[in-house]
Structures are given as structure tokens and as C-alpha cells.
Amino acid sequence: MAALLLFSLLLAAPVLLVASGPAPGSTNNTVPLVLWHGMGDSCCNPLSMGAIKKMIEQEIPGIYVLSLMIGKNVVEDTENGFFLDVNHQVSMVCSQLAQDPKLQGGYNAMGFSQGGQFLRAVAQRCSSPPMKKLISVGGQHQGVYGLPRCPGESSHVCDMIREALNRGAYSDLVQKHLVQAQYWHDPLNDNLYKKHSVFLADINQERTVNETYKKNLQQLEKFVMVKFLQDSVVDPVDSEWFGFLKTGQAKETETLQESDLYKQDRLGLAAMDKAGKLVFLATEGDHLQFSKEWFDANLLPYLR
């Protein structure tokens, strides 16, 4: 998400420890870590993802941390978080990971905000190299039906996005050129969403069941989802735990376990839940804001 949010995180928690367990790839038998930033941010912003990457490397000597850059530079990376087809982004990342010799033994992945669902798409579509654990920090796995707040220097961009979504999120033009439209989930127009959503409806098996997606996702050792209880950015916040608004109205929500996706087990989530692979974590605070102590106690164990 926007650099301002992650900067707030860094102010509250000047040191984030990210540890890993034995696996090939890094120089000290730690599991390599792949990071994907959120909307309005970039791979290497020194106030956000760049600082997080640096702190991880300082705390775990020898670990290999790849903070994904989508584009040739940080400007392109930031812009692509708004305007580059998500399916193309995922393909770019899959190719990059497959060509990285340090990742061939497997890796852990941590996605911030929209980076969470983008990395899930990587897990479903690209099984080599294998993703071991996926940590989604405020990701929107059932999409969003609102863009209530987008603080910081990208606010004017968000105003434009909000207007485009309101006018026609499922038009071919908007779907092709606007990232946030590709995970826009309108419960009042369910048929339009299922038919025209080029990204979210596909990875959530809304049109047909892709058995490869289901098989690949179930290869994860753990799928950790973090919800921010005071989130003013993600609407509805239940999407961070794979819940959403009930179809046909826009007030009442349902949990993942209450959804048809889970009951029909189209994505393998019910089987993963029964196997103890799904982890639902919650923290007080706004989007992407948490303390070092919370991170150490709740996320660090999954990276060992």
C-alpha cells in the first residue's frame, strides 16, 4: 500500500525481524524470502519496502530477500501497481522466480496489501520453484467493493481510480488498464463480476474449476492471512480473511467458511483448513500498521 502507511509501520517498529528455516537458497540455510509491495509503493522505497528488506538482511545474515520490482525502475514499479494488467505482472514474476538460481529449492513469500493476492496467484499458477509459505499482510483475497481512503502522495491517482470504478469497473477498457478494477468485486452485480473480472474471478475459480490452481495452492505448507481490525483502506475488511459481502446486497458479510467457495471447495481451501494449513491472524490498527512485538510474536514463527 502507500509508502506513508509502511512509513508509519517503521516509525512504530524500527526493527522488523524476519527469520527463516532450513532450505537451499541462501548462504546460511535459511529459506529465501520474496516480497511484493502494495498499491502506491515500490520495491525499494527507502521509507518502506527498501527499509524492510534491509532490516531483514541485517537481522538474518546470509538470507536472500527478493523485493519484487515490476518494471525497469521504481517509478515504473509504482505506476504498474495502478495500471499494468495483473495477469501480466504475475507472468513477469513467475518468469523472474523461475530464472533465479537462489530460489530453486523453494521460498517463502510475503505480500503487502494487493501484493498478497498477487502472490497467491503466483502460487496457483507457477509451481516451480515451489512457494513454501505464503503470508498475506492485509491482502484482499475476495477483492474490494470500495476504495474509501488512499492517503499520501497517490491520493489524486486514487480519486481517478474511484471515479473509473464507479463508472464501469467491468468494462473492457477499465479491466484492461486499471489494476484495482481487476480485483473489484461487486456483490450487486455478481454475474458481471464473474463474466468480466479478468483476474480475481479467475484465481477464485468463479467461472470454472482449474484443477492445477487447486493442486498448486494446496502444496503450501501454510497460508497465513493477517486482518487489520481498524482498517480504513480495505472495504470490506473481511476480504483479508477471504470473507466478503453476501451476494445480492452490500451490508451483510460472510466468512470464508460460510462461502460457496469453501463449501464446494473449488480452490482447496476447505481441505487446507482441515489440514491446519490456514492461519487467520488479527491485529489492532489501521492498514499495514503493526508493532515489532506483534510481528515477532505472530509472523516470525512462520518464517523459521
Side-chain angles (χ1 to χ4, degrees):
M1 186 46 80
L4 178 61
L5 290 172
L6 282 172
F7 182 52
S8 298
L9 181 158
L10 294 176
L11 290 177
V15 179
L16 293 180
L17 303 180
V18 180
S20 305
S26 302
T27 61
N28 62 346
N29 292 324
T30 57
V31 177
L33 180 63
V34 173
L35 306 174
W36 198 331
H37 61 81
M39 178 180 72
D41 202 2
S42 71
C43 67
C44 314
N45 188 321
L47 299 180
S48 56
M49 300 305 295
I52 291 174
K53 178 178 184 292
K54 182 178 180 180
M55 287 186 291
I56 292 169
E57 293 168 338
Q58 289 176 342
E59 294 299 327
I60 310 172
I63 189 173
Y64 178 59
V65 181
L66 173 63
S67 186
L68 294 167
M69 178 187 289
I70 311 300
K72 299 177 181 179
N73 52 58
V74 294
V75 174
E76 281 192 14
D77 189 20
T78 304
E79 292 176 347
N80 287 339
F82 291 108
F83 303 119
L84 183 64
D85 184 345
V86 181
N87 293 307
H88 183 56
Q89 293 190 49
V90 171
S91 294
M92 291 170 61
V93 169
C94 287
S95 177
Q96 181 178 356
L97 301 185
Q99 296 175 38
D100 192 328
K102 296 181 180 180
L103 300 177
Q104 299 315 299
Y107 63 96
N108 292 325
M110 181 178 289
F112 294 85
S113 197
Q114 67 182 20
Q117 61 262 34
F118 297 173
L119 279 170
R120 175 165 65 86
V122 171
Q124 292 175 204
R125 294 175 177 175
C126 310
S127 59
S128 180
M131 185 185 295
K132 294 179 176 293
K133 298 174 185 176
L134 172 59
I135 298 176
S136 170
V137 185
Q140 306 99 45
H141 293 279
Q142 277 284 13
V144 298
Y145 186 53
L147 200 67
R149 188 171 72 85
C150 186
E153 58 191 18
S154 299
S155 60
H156 65 289
V157 178
C158 290
D159 288 339
M160 180 184 66
I161 290 173
R162 186 179 293 108
E163 182 179 355
L165 292 173
N166 289 335
R167 286 187 175 182
Y170 299 120
S171 69
D172 291 343
L173 181 64
V174 175
Q175 280 288 309
K176 183 177 181 180
H177 295 290
L178 186 58
V179 165
Q180 287 68 40
Q182 294 179 17
Y183 57 85
W184 184 259
H185 187 171
D186 186 344
L188 302 179
N189 292 283
D190 194 54
N191 289 334
L192 278 177
Y193 156 67
K194 290 179 177 178
K195 183 177 181 180
H196 295 290
S197 171
V198 300
F199 174 69
L200 188 68
D202 176 67
I203 66 167
N204 283 1
Q205 310 273 49
E206 298 283 14
R207 290 184 283 266
T208 185
V209 174
N210 184 321
E211 293 295 340
T212 298
Y213 286 6
K214 186 174 180 179
K215 176 183 177 182
N216 287 347
L217 189 64
Q218 290 182 90
Q219 297 306 307
L220 289 174
E221 297 172 9
K222 292 289 182 182
F223 178 12
V224 181
M225 288 169 271
V226 178
K227 179 198 286 189
F228 293 89
L229 297 177
Q230 309 302 321
D231 203 315
S232 65
V233 176
V234 175
D235 184 15
V237 68
D238 308 74
S239 186
E240 296 177 351
W241 275 2
F242 235 121
F244 203 65
L245 296 160
K246 291 184 177 180
T247 301
Q249 50 84 61
K251 292 184 178 180
E252 188 178 355
T253 61
E254 64 183 8
T255 66
L256 167 64
Q257 289 78 7
E258 294 169 335
S259 69
D260 289 341
L261 176 66
Y262 186 93
K263 292 175 181 178
Q264 298 168 8
D265 208 16
R266 299 196 304 266
L267 199 49
L269 293 168
M272 293 177 71
D273 200 10
K274 292 175 183 177
K277 291 186 175 184
L278 299 187
V279 180
F280 302 90
L281 301 179
T283 180
E284 297 292 340
D286 205 343
H287 195 60
L288 300 187
Q289 295 183 352
F290 51 86
S291 68
K292 171 187 180 297
E293 290 76 18
W294 187 90
F295 184 93
D296 288 350
N298 294 278
L299 297 186
L300 202 61
Y302 296 104
L303 294 174
R304 289 196 171 107

